Amino acid sequence: MTAPQILTILGSILFVLGGLATFVIAYRRGPSSWEEQLDKDARKADRSRIPSAFTRSKAAELPEPTVESPAASVAVAVAVAEEPVEKIHRVVELSASEQGVNRRQFFNRALAASFFGTLGTFGVASLAFSWPKVSGGFGSDVSAGPVQAIKDAIAQPDGTITPFYLPAAKAWIVPVSDSVLPNSQFAEDLTVADGLSALWQKCVHLGCAVPWCQSSQGFECPCHGSKYNQIGEYEDGPAPRNLDRFVVEVDSKGEFIIKTGSVIPTERAPAKSVKYPQGVFCTAAAAE
Ligand code: FES
């Protein structure tokens, strides 16, 4: 797996953990009791309504003032009116299911749901894009077929070569002979197997697909003119390094396998391993 892929996956994991923490904090900050859920205005209105209703109901029960005892009737009325509100204001505790979902909880949950929906979509898309495929296609191990058949297709009757292009691997397969390999940068790595190597077709400057030039016997980028010799060593132009290579192997059936999930970059070759160019260029001089 390449560094950008690892970073993308780590970023997705951190993003998910951050979202989880946000959700937990938002959930725990909800009101702790039924009374706290009422806003100020609602509570004020309730308080002002309760005593007046009480007063009206009690007033209806009062005896009519009589000529004999007007003061007693008035005293009862005053006593009732002055009865503390706390005595008649009963707080009814509701269970969680009876309380239902208040406005704040609703918005908290809606926010968390939309956040996680977006996050999930982003995470799945990132992983699907970055994760190497298990089999078949770019990002996995791709078989180019029998080694000998590839070598036969590469070698030309006039002594030149034509690299074997494998679209599924986005790679050029080139020969690296035993006489060239020991003097190259690739002698110690896993990018050469049975005299063949696989170069990623992507230019290491800005990513254009690099075509083969039969006359110069090298790769020439049409975008800004970077040039690479037949084994992918940097020769000219703004490219910062050699063409990137893939780890390769020959399997038990004699097929050449390109591990396109393993890209190996190498610095500009200090000394070139093969002659270049071997004829006229296909593109103009490089734009420095
Ligand atoms: S993309 Fe190839 S030289 Fe710029």
Side-chain angles (χ1 to χ4, degrees), residues 24-37:
V24 169
I25 289 168
Y27 191 80
R28 294 185 65 184
R29 273 190 168 175
S32 58
S33 75
W34 175 70
E35 273 197 312
E36 288 172 9
Q37 296 168 23

Side-chain angles (χ1 to χ4, degrees), residues 138 163-174 197-212 218-223 226-229 231-232 239 241-246 258 260 262-264:
F138 191 76
F164 184 92
Y165 182 66
L166 189 64
K170 300 180 182 176
W172 291 103
I173 301 175
V174 296
S197 189
L199 311 177
W200 194 0
Q201 66 165 11
K202 190 172 114 178
C203 182
V204 295
H205 179 222
L206 293 177
C208 293
V210 184
W212 170 252
F219 298 93
E220 300 180 20
C221 182
C223 295
S226 287
K227 294 180 173 60
Y228 313 85
N229 64 28
I231 62 171
R241 60 182 187 271
N242 301 326
L243 280 176
D244 291 337
R245 319 162 78 81
F246 297 114
I258 304 174
T260 56
S262 305
V263 179
I264 308 292

